[in-house]
Amino acid sequence: MRRRRAIELALTIAAPLLILGIWEALARAGRLDPIFWPAPSTLGETVTRLVREDDLLGDIRISLLRILGGFLLGAVPGVALGLAMGLFWPVRVFFMPLAAAIYAVPKIAVLPLVIIAFGIGELSKLVIVAISIFFLVVLNTMGGVLAIDPMYRDVARNLGASRFELFLTVALPGALPAIFTGLRLALGFALIVIVGTEFLSPGRGIGYLIWESYQTLQIKAMLVGLIVTGLMGWALTLLLDVIERVAIPWRGAE
Amino acid sequence: MAEAAIGQRITSPAGATVAAGQRGASVVTRGLERRFETPTGPVEAIHDVDLTVAPGEFCAIVGPSGCGKSTLLRLVAGLDRPTSGAVAVERVDGGRPTNALVFQGRSVFPWLTVRQNVAYGLKLRGVRRARRGKAADELLRTVGLTSFARAYPHQISEGMRQRVAIARALAVDPDLLLMDEPFGALDEQTRFLLQEELLRIWETTGKTVLFVTHSIDEAMILADRILVMSAQPGTIRAALEVPFARPRSLTAVRSDPAFAEMFTTTWAMLREEVTAARQMREAGPR
Ligand SMILES: Nc1ncnc2c1ncn2[C@@H]1O[C@H](COP(=O)(O)OP(=O)(O)OP(=O)(O)O)[C@@H](O)[C@H]1O
Ligand SMILES: [Mg+2]
């Protein structure tokens, strides 16, 4: 078991390290244009400078808070509506066309509308993230409820469960694996959307750092921004993994 | 989701005389029919089922696969409505009868531990944590799963899961126990032990039991009466009294000379129905 863990960890970090290694080797061999592809090993000092002078950690914190805030704002009502749509067919029939249509709209295209409605402040950033993930979570949750073996519902009814108890003891736990699949996708979307949003609205955040560095041709800072974005996505996914393991203990040893 | 519904009420079975204080429920069905609308046309699962089970009776149901045994149990449990006819489940003392169905197949909640599964019905009934824990532990001992109390269903075997389902139904101490091939997935030794245990529980509690099985053996060992169902659409073709004395033991019943004789008659009857069901299936859909 321990051995397996060690191998898992090694394999997990192998791919990114491999890419960085190849990049480094090519840069040192002079095969890459150093202006656009500086060797990764030279990025260290850029990181130090960004942390000291440009408050890189502050940018990371701001972007993370936007992601988490928007994520909660979209996911919590998303799960609720998804459960309701899965359980009650009139709710499903009523919302389905709306969900299917809005699901397909590129969310970043809605940003101007969101800014008109909520201003250019923090709120509009949270709202755009929430909107982008809402229907994703809704559809996954609903699918999860619909996929529950109807036998479980009958068992609960037979033993006297009320509608509310049915909801709490069958629909919610039964849909939980599908809900987490939705949340995982949503988290990726949230990151994509927030970086895009920060491109378009000057101020703070990791997306703005990337955009601004690009415009002023500070390629190293831009690359650091990209790498940090990737690391943020990875860390958030790991966090969700941990939460999932706690929330779905019956999935444990598969 | 439809409310758990029982068809229109009909009065107690004529002539069912029961000792006072006995708590099993009676079951009466009249002209019971259930038709399913399917894309390929209507399927009549059961047809004109007239059934009378006395309070405290142990009644076995045998019949070819697809003859509507599960459909009948669901109707009696109030999980489904008949397309015509009626079901009445009544308690001798006039109280509200409770039933619990042991479903055919995988019915144990994967998201609850073994112990939580067994205690589930008690939790719904508002039984306090300590008391339902105690009740669950007792039943887990009965079905031999004490050391798996904290395991999740995916961590135990199919036969063990089935025992959890049985314990979960017993936990709510129902007046009417409906069992749909409950021992089908068990190994023979465990099956024998649980048959004995079920007999003991039935003898001491006076529950009414409706027990679907594909084993004629099992029906003879457990039941007062065996109902043989015909091929689809299912009706009750015959009701055979099981003569062995109570309280029964597996070994005593098996060594009774009447055992072989009864097996022969029951099988002869069932054989015709199973053959009919096969021919029907081979003749194509419907
Ligand atoms: N929900 C349903 N929709 C359509 N047809 C159904 C439905 N439930 C049962 N049937 C049909 O009704 C008939 C009886 O089914 P049922 O499950 O009651 O049989 P059974 O006697 O329990 O069979 P088995 O011994 O294999 O469990 C079958 O032909 C089945 O296809
Ligand atoms: Mg069946």
Side-chain angles (χ1 to χ4, degrees), chain B residues 64-71 73 104 180-181 212:
Chain B
S65 179
C67 76
K69 303 181 293 295
S70 299
T71 304
L73 283 199
Q104 183 177 16
D180 199 346
E181 300 197 14
V212 169

Side-chain angles (χ1 to χ4, degrees), chain A residues 82 85-88 92 139-150 175:
Chain A
M85 284 173 73
L87 279 171
F88 309 111
R92 180 160 65 246
L139 292 177
N140 271 282
T141 305
M142 181 189 78
V145 176
L146 292 176
I148 297 172
D149 189 335

Side-chain angles (χ1 to χ4, degrees), chain A residues 87 148-149 151-163 165-166 169-170 173-174 249-254, chain B residues 1-4 74 77-79 99-101 103-111 120-121 124-125 152 154 168 172:
Chain A
L87 279 171
I148 297 172
D149 189 335
M151 191 189 277
Y152 297 132
R153 193 195 59 195
D154 284 340
V155 171
R157 278 171 64 207
N158 181 238
L159 292 173
S162 65
R163 270 171 190 242
E165 286 164 334
L166 214 56
T169 64
V170 178
W250 64 91
R251 246 193 177 179
E254 265 168 68
Chain B
M1 237 167 277
E3 293 286 293
R74 289 174 55 84
L79 287 169
N99 76 72
L101 173 56
F103 289 74
Q104 183 177 16
R106 296 167 150 247
S107 72
V108 170
F109 297 121
W111 48 84
Y120 179 78
L124 292 180
R125 280 165 173 68
Y152 280 97
H154 77 268
R168 182 177 61 188
V172 296

Side-chain angles (χ1 to χ4, degrees), chain B residues 149-163:
Chain B
R150 295 163 70 94
Y152 280 97
H154 77 268
Q155 296 164 321
I156 60 178
S157 75
E158 182 72 38
M160 289 171 167
R161 279 194 288 269
Q162 189 55 23
R163 283 186 265 162

Side-chain angles (χ1 to χ4, degrees), chain A residues 31-71:
Chain A
R31 294 292 185 96
L32 295 175
D33 183 342
I35 295 186
F36 296 111
W37 298 102
S41 57
T42 64
L43 292 177
E45 59 190 283
T46 313
V47 172
T48 330
R49 186 180 57 75
L50 283 174
V51 171
R52 287 228 182 100
E53 293 166 23
D54 294 325
D55 193 18
L56 175 64
L57 297 181
D59 280 325
I60 294 175
R61 193 172 51 89
I62 285 168
S63 291
L64 278 178
L65 284 178
R66 284 171 181 161
I67 291 170
L68 288 179
F71 185 76

